[in-house]
């Protein structure tokens, strides 16, 4: 990729910014926008140019679309009311999105890198015959994007010459959308009402009163060092309560049945970047670090002073977690 000197680049960018028009695909559940939707908008705003929101599902014009219209910086919100799109099934949603992208003439299509975005956008890219650009963490300019590869061990800069860029964005890298103060117009999108052989049957969701792991400002995670599910709950839950934190876990803890699948942090789990991430009994394998190393403050408790987690930790405590965590919990309660 040739290096462009600043002045030429600025002229080129400002000329193109006027032509940029981005569709931010908004994910909703029961009429409420997800945090991944806000990240999609944040990334779209970073690109510059006009930003349109897109939302589809049952009764969205009086719920999620209204919420989206209040977001600052959205020019309009395209809404399609049809229960067939309520659960965001990619088989139904992809043809819908493609028709709306074509009718709106967008240069960029952006969604969060959530299960919804990961399932949907590669299909959309294939239907548009362009490449999918996944899980970006930075935007260099309108056709150049940065994404981590090999579990975050290398950073790739990709440039796309496709006429439409189809992109998913990492939530922790794009934040800070103002959810009040906007007054975007809500307009009807096109609905191809395509026949689909896929139908929503049911879902089984893990319910929790705790803060959502992906967006919590504090996360306490336990690893294989917790030894059993009983000990995991006995030691980690009071600590999480004392801090008002979400609970996370390493893959070893999840695989051993100490914690639910939905709590896994890392390359094949969730990406988190809270203000505070406290890891207890976690060694700090690269696949775990890939999901939490962008946290603002990392604290680690481990009995092994050589544990790799200490290389990324801002604060480390070498000791037995069964002694140290309850002690810390008691001090926090005071
Ligand atoms: P261990 O590595 O066994 O570490 C346990 C730690 O607890 C040790 O450091 C030990 O010193 C400490 N300890 C033990 N007892 C005590 C005590 N009493 N007090 C204090 N400390 C104690 N892992 C993830 O976490 N997330 C992922 O998303 C993920 N994805 C993966 C994807 C792939 C393709 C692969 C190959 C692996 C992936 N892994 C992932 C697994 C990863 O490589 C590690 O195996 C895993 O993270 C280890 O979990 P752990 O740190 O809990 O366990």
């Amino acid at each position: 990729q040739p290096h462009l000197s600043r002045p030429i680049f600025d002229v080129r960018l400002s000329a193109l910014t006027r032509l940029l028009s981005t569709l931010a695909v908004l994910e909703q559940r029961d009429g409420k926008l997800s945090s991944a939707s806000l990240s999609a908008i944040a990334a779209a705003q970073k690109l510059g140019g006009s930003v349109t929101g897109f939302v589809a599902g049952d009764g969205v014009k009086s719920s999620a679309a209204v919420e989206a219209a209040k977001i600052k910086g959205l020019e309009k919100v395209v809404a399609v009311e049809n229960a067939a799109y309520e659960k965001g099934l990619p088989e139904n949603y992809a043809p819908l999105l493609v028709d709306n992208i074509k009718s709106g003439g967008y240069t960029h299509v952006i969604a969060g890198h959530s299960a919804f975005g990961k399932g949907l956008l590669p299909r959309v890219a294939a239907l548009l015959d362009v490449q999918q650009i996944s899980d970006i963490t930075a935007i260099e300019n309108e056709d150049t994007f940065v994404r981590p590869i090999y579990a975050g061990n290398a950073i790739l800069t990709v440039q796309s010459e496709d006429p439409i860029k189809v992109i998913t964005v990492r939530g922790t890298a794009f934040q800070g959308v103002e959810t009040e103060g906007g007054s975007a117009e809500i307009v009807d999108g096109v609905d191809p009402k395509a026949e689909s052989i896929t139908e929503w049957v049911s879902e089984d969701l893990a319910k929790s009163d705790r803060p959502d792991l992906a967006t919590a400002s504090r996360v306490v995670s336990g690893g294989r060092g917790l030894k059993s599910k009983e000990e995991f709950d006995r030691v980690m839950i009071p600590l999480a309560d004392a801090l008002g934190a979400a609970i996370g876990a390493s893959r070893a803890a999840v695989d051993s049945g100490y914690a639910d699948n939905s709590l896994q942090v890392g390359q094949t789990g969730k990406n988190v970047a809270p203000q505070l991430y406290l890891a207890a009994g976690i060694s700090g394998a690269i696949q775990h670090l890939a999901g939490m190393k962008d946290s603002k403050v990392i604290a680690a408790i481990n009995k092994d002073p050589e544990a790799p987690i200490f290389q990324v930790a801002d604060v480390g405590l070498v000791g037995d977690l069964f002694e140290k965590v309850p002690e810390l919990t008691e001090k926090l309660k005071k």
Side-chain angles (χ1 to χ4, degrees):
Q1 182 193 337
H3 175 74
L4 293 168
S5 66
R6 252 306 135 196
I8 299 167
F9 173 73
D10 284 346
V11 170
R12 198 178 70 128
L13 184 64
S14 63
L16 274 163
T17 302
R18 286 192 288 274
L19 304 172
L20 288 182
S21 121
T22 302
L23 187 67
V25 187
L26 310 181
E27 179 180 353
Q28 60 94 24
R29 177 174 281 276
D30 301 328
K32 287 204 174 61
L33 295 181
S34 70
S35 60
S37 302
L38 301 183
S39 299
I41 295 172
Q45 288 174 345
K46 212 160 220 172
L47 260 174
S50 78
V51 183
T52 301
F54 180 85
V55 64
D58 201 12
V60 287
K61 279 205 271 181
S62 51
S63 56
V66 176
E67 189 187 341
K70 292 187 193 142
I71 295 172
K72 252 197 177 150
L74 281 191
E75 210 149 273
K76 62 181 176 200
V77 176
V78 175
V80 175
E81 276 200 350
N82 183 339
Y85 309 123
E86 176 61 19
K87 296 295 181 182
L89 284 178
E91 294 84 353
N92 302 1
Y93 211 115
L96 164 76
L97 198 52
V98 167
D99 277 16
N100 282 278
I101 293 164
K102 285 182 178 163
S103 72
Y106 303 100
T107 56
H108 294 71
V109 179
I110 301 186
H113 194 68
S114 59
F116 168 79
K118 282 191 265 189
L120 176 64
L121 259 56
R123 285 168 198 264
V124 169
L127 291 168
L128 292 170
D129 199 20
V130 298
Q131 69 171 334
Q132 158 74 22
I133 304 163
S134 290
D135 198 19
I136 65 162
T137 52
I139 295 170
E140 293 216 333
N141 58 51
E142 72 290 339
D143 59 14
T144 310
F145 311 94
V146 176
R147 56 182 301 256
I149 56 170
Y150 301 123
N153 281 300
I155 304 294
L156 183 73
T157 302
V158 282
Q159 186 173 26
S160 163
E161 290 175 357
D162 282 328
I164 305 174
K165 321 286 190 251
V166 176
I167 303 164
T168 59
V169 302
R170 184 172 287 203
T172 50
F174 296 97
Q175 286 175 347
V177 164
E178 287 182 53
T179 52
E180 293 293 335
S183 55
E185 184 193 2
I186 300 174
V187 299
D188 282 320
V190 287
D191 186 352
K193 295 202 168 67
E195 288 287 317
S196 170
I197 52 165
T198 310
E199 191 187 325
W200 184 263
V201 179
S202 67
E203 66 188 350
D204 191 5
L205 288 177
K207 288 203 178 68
S208 166
D209 296 331
R210 293 191 178 284
D212 176 40
L213 177 58
T215 52
S217 64
R218 293 164 182 179
V219 174
V220 296
S221 275
R224 198 182 339 240
L226 269 302
K227 304 271 189 292
S228 70
K229 172 160 176 49
E230 291 67 35
E231 289 297 291
F232 190 100
D233 290 350
R234 186 183 67 80
V235 173
M236 298 306 288
I237 291 175
L239 176 65
D241 287 343
L243 278 168
I247 295 185
S250 71
R251 176 153 150 187
V254 169
D255 286 351
S256 310
Y258 307 171
D260 190 77
N261 255 315
S262 61
L263 303 187
Q264 186 177 316
V265 172
Q267 184 191 343
T268 41
K270 295 209 165 99
N271 272 300
V272 301
Q275 293 296 326
L276 171 68
Y277 187 89
L278 191 155
I282 293 180
S283 59
I286 49 165
Q287 296 91 351
H288 187 79
L289 302 185
M292 46 61 75
K293 67 176 167 15
D294 294 330
S295 304
K296 309 293 173 291
V297 174
I298 298 172
I301 301 177
N302 198 305
K303 67 177 180 188
D304 174 10
E306 303 296 326
I309 189 79
F310 288 128
Q311 287 168 19
V312 296
D314 301 288
V315 195
L317 182 57
V318 177
D320 184 351
L321 72 89
F322 294 106
E323 191 187 302
K324 300 296 178 196
V325 175
E327 196 182 320
L328 175 64
T329 306
E330 281 315 307
K331 287 200 169 133
L332 285 166
K333 279 198 206 150
K334 285 181 196 148

